[in-house]
Amino acid sequence: MTPKAPFPSPEIPEKDDVSAEEATPACVLVFNASDPSGAGGLTADVTTIASVGGHPIAVVTGAYARDTAQIFDHFSFNDDAVAEQARAVLEDLPVQAIKVGFVGSPENISTIAEITTDYDEVPVIAYMPNLSWWREELIDEYLDAFRELLLPQTSVLVGNHSTLWRWLLPDWSSDRSPTARDIARAASEMGVPYTLVTGIPLPEQFVENVLASPQAVLGSGKFELFDATFSGAGDTLSAALTSLVAAGNDLGEATSEALGYLDRCLDAGFRPGMGHIVPDRMFWALPDDDDEEDVADDDDGPAAVGPAPVIDEAQALEGFVLPPHDTKH
């Protein structure tokens, strides 16, 4: 697929034309479930998008019953309720990018696929979380629908290495683990041009986050593991990436900045309850600490500590632009 330039709405003023005070935040449409613990879901999305300067447009697809340690259940909204929420705001607001998180049911996936088809000039960032807390038959139905209906609409797929491996390469038989390019090639068979794979295991307690296409590794960041577990990191990363793309950044720059933002969120992470650590998505509102260490995670699992996760300049592409998805139904 040939990369295409993003499609900023004419309602969004160019930076050169207006002052920073007059600039309008980019509108970011998010489909995700409500998380009452504040660890992930729509809470993570809304806070993240606002923190990096976007305007969140949040469509509730369902609700978790969960705390900061685990998910106990999920209650899905009716697909008509999801469609009516989304259509109402899309007719009013100039959406610059769309994020799809966990939406709860094949019916909701189908509805969102229809909506993204109607707005096929808008880039779609799809995040696939770990669904091991759910019943196996529901997981299979959900992943099959997502693969068939939403991946063809997806501009960038985001997910942890083990999650994407189990989903996209279930018959992998090699002695070696699949690379980011292997996963990107599998995603590309359903029409996904770019994949951001997080938490790839490396020797000596390191992990790597890699932005890849089927043809090349476009950027990467290496981190050393340390003993801590976060909830909501994957939603935070994918929401930040979507908001930065919506603001007009090319994909390489947006990925680098999103990883850097997540790094700072995890560094300032806190434990509000008896469960896992939650990223502080408003870290910049805290008093400065000159001696902070940088931290990064591997998608709601063991975190990593290391240098700021900047895309490798030797591998990053100048002017690398994110195409809108192409309808493939």
Side-chain angles (χ1 to χ4, degrees):
M1 177 178 291
T2 303
K4 303 175 185 177
F7 282 76
S9 167
E11 286 93 337
I12 305 297
E14 295 293 335
K15 292 180 181 179
D16 293 340
D17 296 337
V18 295
S19 67
E21 291 78 9
E22 296 171 325
T24 302
C27 294
V28 183
L29 177 64
V30 181
F31 296 92
N32 211 340
S34 174
D35 177 358
S37 77
L42 275 182
T43 302
D45 292 334
V46 168
T47 310
T48 297
I49 291 165
S51 182
V52 300
H55 175 61
I57 304 171
V59 173
V60 187
T61 61
Y64 291 107
R66 67 160 299 172
D67 57 22
T68 57
Q70 61 182 313
I71 300 171
F72 301 103
D73 206 346
H74 175 269
F75 310 98
S76 182
F77 274 21
N78 181 279
D79 56 324
D80 288 338
V82 172
E84 289 189 24
Q85 290 178 78
R87 296 289 185 185
V89 292
L90 282 164
E91 290 176 5
D92 177 45
L93 299 166
V95 170
Q96 302 299 100
I98 298 171
K99 176 198 164 176
V100 181
F102 178 65
V103 300
S105 71
E107 291 78 15
N108 284 346
I109 290 173
S110 178
T111 292
I112 295 167
E114 291 178 9
I115 291 169
T116 57
T117 298
D118 292 343
Y119 292 84
D120 62 356
E121 77 282 2
V122 180
V124 175
I125 314 298
Y127 168 57
M128 181 54 67
N130 182 349
L131 299 177
S132 60
W133 55 271
W134 217 12
R135 297 201 304 274
E136 185 174 352
E137 67 275 13
L138 296 179
I139 296 173
D140 291 342
E141 292 174 0
Y142 185 87
L143 292 180
D144 287 347
F146 209 104
R147 180 189 295 108
E148 297 297 325
L149 300 175
L150 263 176
L151 285 189
Q153 307 299 319
T154 297
S155 305
V156 184
L157 174 64
V158 181
N160 179 266
H161 179 261
S162 62
T163 297
L164 297 183
W165 174 359
R166 290 193 301 268
W167 177 30
L168 299 175
L169 295 168
D171 300 322
W172 185 262
S173 58
S174 174
D175 291 336
R176 68 170 178 84
S177 298
T179 65
R181 281 189 61 196
D182 292 325
I183 292 173
R185 277 193 289 265
S188 74
E189 293 178 2
M190 300 308 300
V192 180
Y194 306 111
T195 304
L196 177 55
V197 184
T198 66
I200 302 172
L202 296 176
E204 300 179 358
Q205 294 299 303
F206 282 87
V207 294
E208 189 174 30
N209 302 321
V210 177
L211 175 66
S213 72
Q215 296 78 29
V217 170
L218 306 170
S220 64
K222 178 181 176 182
F223 306 94
E224 184 178 2
L225 286 172
F226 84 115
D227 188 17
T229 303
F230 290 88
S231 290
D235 272 321
T236 303
L237 174 61
S238 51
L241 177 61
T242 309
S243 188
L244 290 162
V245 165
N249 296 283
D250 67 55
L251 183 55
E253 181 182 8
T255 302
S256 178
E257 291 192 19
L259 288 169
Y261 171 79
L262 176 63
D263 180 69
R264 297 290 302 278
C265 292
L266 299 180
D267 188 30
F270 61 101
R271 182 177 280 110
M274 295 182 290
H276 302 316
I277 298 172
V278 174
D280 187 347
R281 295 141 190 142
M282 303 295 287
F283 63 83
W284 47 264
L286 298 174
D288 290 336
D289 183 348
D290 293 336
D291 297 320
E292 288 181 346
E293 286 185 306
D294 291 327
V295 183
D297 90 320
D298 72 345
D299 190 21
D300 298 344
V305 60
V310 178
I311 295 296
D312 188 340
E313 291 183 359
Q315 296 175 339
L317 301 180
E318 288 295 328
F320 183 55
V321 293
L322 174 66
H325 62 274
D326 288 332
T327 303
K328 297 185 178 63
H329 289 306

